[in-house]
Amino acid sequence: MDSITALLSGALEEVRPLAEGAPASYIPELAGVDPEALALAVVGPRGRVWSAGDADHEFTIQSMSKPFVLALALVEHGREAVMARVGAEPSGEPFNAISLEAGTGRPANPMINAGAIATTALVPGGSIAERTERIVDLFSRFAGRELRVDESVYASESATGDRNRALAHLLRSYDVIEAPVDLAVESYFRQCSVLVTVRDLAEMAATLAFGGFNPTTRERVVDEHIARDVLSLMASCGMYDFSGEWLLRVGLPAKSGVSGGLLAVAPSQFGVAAFSPRLDGHGNSVRAVAVVEKLAERLGMHLLEPHESVAVPAVSVHSGETGPVVRLSGELGFAGTERVFAVLRELATGLPEGSTVTLDAREIGRMHPAALVALQTEFEGLPLGFRLEQ
Ligand code: GLU
């Protein structure tokens, strides 16, 4: 067993004895699941998959569909049009709360049911089938395999979905949704009933982690700015009324669902997903929360702790026709420029005044604007001529 799989298995076995909570029962089909099922998967930058437990066990995606339908709405309509209909504020209330802005009727955010129904209503298509097809197609590209709806969970959701239907009527009364209620709500029930495994979810999370690029299929699924918007909302609102505490303890954008699944994103590092049906009082899976928290802690993934090394470039010095060439590759962030300056200063001491140094940044994958400003400032302070090749 490789070290990563051993780490995942170890963490999973530690949470296995946790017996608190109960599977969701408000949708009859969800109550029938095996409460002991337990799984964990990670997908890394080159699309490698590591997993432990029941990694091929299928369950419905439920609320974990919400970030991906948000992505679809953003692709179709742009951020301003979407935000005109749904806010970006954590509601601090349960997933099915009627958290609508006074006056406008705008739901607090797209990660609670009201906001998700408003987002689903923005998916183009004249029929439930057409809308569902667009949604499932996008999910499938995120997951790297063809996904499908579990018809019996869908039927069960629809048969017991009066609260969601009521929310949709309310939204329509405020003109937050224009689509007929049935079209919006049935498409929403179908999106919640898509079957996934933790591997699928981890790949979907990884696609968000790499800015909308699926590292397994190597397909660009959505643009980087879309993935960034989705992750921002997952970070602030993804874990129901536990979102603030989750950010404090784990520090990763995440989304949970009442089936017991949870996906979390370590930007530029990996996607992770866990599954265990027993839920706590917030509607989050007890063991999935515990295992992802352990993993994030052990791997040092909290986003708000220092991660300077991710933006330090590789630096090499060559001789060129007009003088030394400093070649950079990788990613250059504000803090990473210190490494470049150290090389430049050392070069400057050995060169006659007035010499020209070329900074070849053509191999830089990403230069942060702050790094460019820092470089310019440093150039101005050195007694050398500079050429920047970008
Ligand atoms: N289908 C569920 C509902 O709207 C999704 C809820 C969830 O996972 O939070 O009731």
PDB file of all heavy atoms in Angstrom, residues 132-144:
ATOM      1  N   THR A 132     -32.266  18.847 -17.538  1.00  0.00           N
ATOM      2  CA  THR A 132     -31.523  17.803 -16.826  1.00  0.00           C
ATOM      3  C   THR A 132     -30.330  17.349 -17.656  1.00  0.00           C
ATOM      4  O   THR A 132     -29.241  17.127 -17.125  1.00  0.00           O
ATOM      5  CB  THR A 132     -32.432  16.585 -16.537  1.00  0.00           C
ATOM      6  OG1 THR A 132     -33.619  17.057 -15.916  1.00  0.00           O
ATOM      7  CG2 THR A 132     -31.752  15.594 -15.607  1.00  0.00           C
ATOM      8  N   GLU A 133     -30.549  17.251 -18.969  1.00  0.00           N
ATOM      9  CA  GLU A 133     -29.461  16.782 -19.823  1.00  0.00           C
ATOM     10  C   GLU A 133     -28.255  17.730 -19.743  1.00  0.00           C
ATOM     11  O   GLU A 133     -27.111  17.300 -19.632  1.00  0.00           O
ATOM     12  CB  GLU A 133     -29.962  16.659 -21.257  1.00  0.00           C
ATOM     13  CG  GLU A 133     -29.039  15.815 -22.106  1.00  0.00           C
ATOM     14  CD  GLU A 133     -29.516  15.744 -23.544  1.00  0.00           C
ATOM     15  OE1 GLU A 133     -30.728  15.524 -23.760  1.00  0.00           O
ATOM     16  OE2 GLU A 133     -28.665  15.936 -24.432  1.00  0.00           O
ATOM     17  N   ARG A 134     -28.531  19.012 -19.789  1.00  0.00           N
ATOM     18  CA  ARG A 134     -27.425  19.981 -19.688  1.00  0.00           C
ATOM     19  C   ARG A 134     -26.690  19.844 -18.363  1.00  0.00           C
ATOM     20  O   ARG A 134     -25.470  19.902 -18.284  1.00  0.00           O
ATOM     21  CB  ARG A 134     -27.980  21.413 -19.734  1.00  0.00           C
ATOM     22  CG  ARG A 134     -28.127  21.941 -21.118  1.00  0.00           C
ATOM     23  CD  ARG A 134     -28.611  23.375 -21.018  1.00  0.00           C
ATOM     24  NE  ARG A 134     -29.174  23.794 -22.269  1.00  0.00           N
ATOM     25  CZ  ARG A 134     -28.538  24.578 -23.136  1.00  0.00           C
ATOM     26  NH1 ARG A 134     -27.333  25.019 -22.857  1.00  0.00           N
ATOM     27  NH2 ARG A 134     -29.118  24.932 -24.266  1.00  0.00           N
ATOM     28  N   ILE A 135     -27.488  19.683 -17.304  1.00  0.00           N
ATOM     29  CA  ILE A 135     -26.900  19.587 -15.965  1.00  0.00           C
ATOM     30  C   ILE A 135     -26.055  18.321 -15.845  1.00  0.00           C
ATOM     31  O   ILE A 135     -24.893  18.365 -15.442  1.00  0.00           O
ATOM     32  CB  ILE A 135     -28.026  19.612 -14.894  1.00  0.00           C
ATOM     33  CG1 ILE A 135     -28.686  20.996 -14.857  1.00  0.00           C
ATOM     34  CG2 ILE A 135     -27.481  19.233 -13.523  1.00  0.00           C
ATOM     35  CD1 ILE A 135     -29.949  21.082 -14.010  1.00  0.00           C
ATOM     36  N   VAL A 136     -26.655  17.183 -16.228  1.00  0.00           N
ATOM     37  CA  VAL A 136     -25.940  15.905 -16.076  1.00  0.00           C
ATOM     38  C   VAL A 136     -24.708  15.892 -16.978  1.00  0.00           C
ATOM     39  O   VAL A 136     -23.659  15.362 -16.607  1.00  0.00           O
ATOM     40  CB  VAL A 136     -26.886  14.711 -16.352  1.00  0.00           C
ATOM     41  CG1 VAL A 136     -26.128  13.394 -16.276  1.00  0.00           C
ATOM     42  CG2 VAL A 136     -28.035  14.714 -15.347  1.00  0.00           C
ATOM     43  N   ASP A 137     -24.820  16.524 -18.133  1.00  0.00           N
ATOM     44  CA  ASP A 137     -23.669  16.570 -19.037  1.00  0.00           C
ATOM     45  C   ASP A 137     -22.507  17.331 -18.387  1.00  0.00           C
ATOM     46  O   ASP A 137     -21.365  16.898 -18.420  1.00  0.00           O
ATOM     47  CB  ASP A 137     -24.089  17.232 -20.358  1.00  0.00           C
ATOM     48  CG  ASP A 137     -22.908  17.346 -21.296  1.00  0.00           C
ATOM     49  OD1 ASP A 137     -22.380  16.281 -21.662  1.00  0.00           O
ATOM     50  OD2 ASP A 137     -22.493  18.472 -21.645  1.00  0.00           O
ATOM     51  N   LEU A 138     -22.831  18.450 -17.761  1.00  0.00           N
ATOM     52  CA  LEU A 138     -21.746  19.219 -17.112  1.00  0.00           C
ATOM     53  C   LEU A 138     -21.164  18.436 -15.926  1.00  0.00           C
ATOM     54  O   LEU A 138     -19.942  18.348 -15.770  1.00  0.00           O
ATOM     55  CB  LEU A 138     -22.230  20.596 -16.653  1.00  0.00           C
ATOM     56  CG  LEU A 138     -21.087  21.449 -16.100  1.00  0.00           C
ATOM     57  CD1 LEU A 138     -20.205  21.987 -17.226  1.00  0.00           C
ATOM     58  CD2 LEU A 138     -21.570  22.593 -15.241  1.00  0.00           C
ATOM     59  N   PHE A 139     -22.035  17.843 -15.103  1.00  0.00           N
ATOM     60  CA  PHE A 139     -21.542  17.037 -13.968  1.00  0.00           C
ATOM     61  C   PHE A 139     -20.603  15.950 -14.486  1.00  0.00           C
ATOM     62  O   PHE A 139     -19.574  15.655 -13.883  1.00  0.00           O
ATOM     63  CB  PHE A 139     -22.694  16.341 -13.232  1.00  0.00           C
ATOM     64  CG  PHE A 139     -23.604  17.243 -12.434  1.00  0.00           C
ATOM     65  CD1 PHE A 139     -23.468  18.615 -12.449  1.00  0.00           C
ATOM     66  CD2 PHE A 139     -24.618  16.687 -11.649  1.00  0.00           C
ATOM     67  CE1 PHE A 139     -24.325  19.422 -11.720  1.00  0.00           C
ATOM     68  CE2 PHE A 139     -25.471  17.487 -10.905  1.00  0.00           C
ATOM     69  CZ  PHE A 139     -25.327  18.849 -10.950  1.00  0.00           C
ATOM     70  N   SER A 140     -20.999  15.318 -15.606  1.00  0.00           N
ATOM     71  CA  SER A 140     -20.220  14.200 -16.147  1.00  0.00           C
ATOM     72  C   SER A 140     -18.840  14.671 -16.586  1.00  0.00           C
ATOM     73  O   SER A 140     -17.849  13.959 -16.422  1.00  0.00           O
ATOM     74  CB  SER A 140     -20.949  13.571 -17.341  1.00  0.00           C
ATOM     75  OG  SER A 140     -22.216  13.110 -16.940  1.00  0.00           O
ATOM     76  N   ARG A 141     -18.774  15.876 -17.131  1.00  0.00           N
ATOM     77  CA  ARG A 141     -17.460  16.396 -17.550  1.00  0.00           C
ATOM     78  C   ARG A 141     -16.604  16.724 -16.332  1.00  0.00           C
ATOM     79  O   ARG A 141     -15.393  16.533 -16.336  1.00  0.00           O
ATOM     80  CB  ARG A 141     -17.649  17.606 -18.457  1.00  0.00           C
ATOM     81  CG  ARG A 141     -18.216  17.167 -19.817  1.00  0.00           C
ATOM     82  CD  ARG A 141     -18.741  18.329 -20.622  1.00  0.00           C
ATOM     83  NE  ARG A 141     -17.688  19.274 -20.909  1.00  0.00           N
ATOM     84  CZ  ARG A 141     -17.880  20.589 -21.041  1.00  0.00           C
ATOM     85  NH1 ARG A 141     -19.090  21.097 -20.899  1.00  0.00           N
ATOM     86  NH2 ARG A 141     -16.887  21.379 -21.311  1.00  0.00           N
ATOM     87  N   PHE A 142     -17.246  17.193 -15.273  1.00  0.00           N
ATOM     88  CA  PHE A 142     -16.495  17.422 -14.025  1.00  0.00           C
ATOM     89  C   PHE A 142     -15.993  16.089 -13.458  1.00  0.00           C
ATOM     90  O   PHE A 142     -14.901  16.011 -12.920  1.00  0.00           O
ATOM     91  CB  PHE A 142     -17.386  18.108 -12.982  1.00  0.00           C
ATOM     92  CG  PHE A 142     -17.306  19.612 -12.983  1.00  0.00           C
ATOM     93  CD1 PHE A 142     -18.290  20.392 -13.565  1.00  0.00           C
ATOM     94  CD2 PHE A 142     -16.238  20.269 -12.371  1.00  0.00           C
ATOM     95  CE1 PHE A 142     -18.224  21.777 -13.561  1.00  0.00           C
ATOM     96  CE2 PHE A 142     -16.159  21.655 -12.343  1.00  0.00           C
ATOM     97  CZ  PHE A 142     -17.145  22.413 -12.943  1.00  0.00           C
ATOM     98  N   ALA A 143     -16.834  15.053 -13.567  1.00  0.00           N
ATOM     99  CA  ALA A 143     -16.507  13.762 -12.943  1.00  0.00           C
ATOM    100  C   ALA A 143     -15.677  12.858 -13.843  1.00  0.00           C
ATOM    101  O   ALA A 143     -15.123  11.863 -13.380  1.00  0.00           O
ATOM    102  CB  ALA A 143     -17.798  13.037 -12.553  1.00  0.00           C
ATOM    103  N   GLY A 144     -15.621  13.172 -15.146  1.00  0.00           N
ATOM    104  CA  GLY A 144     -14.833  12.367 -16.063  1.00  0.00           C
ATOM    105  C   GLY A 144     -15.480  11.035 -16.412  1.00  0.00           C
ATOM    106  O   GLY A 144     -14.809  10.125 -16.892  1.00  0.00           O
TER     107      GLY A 144
END
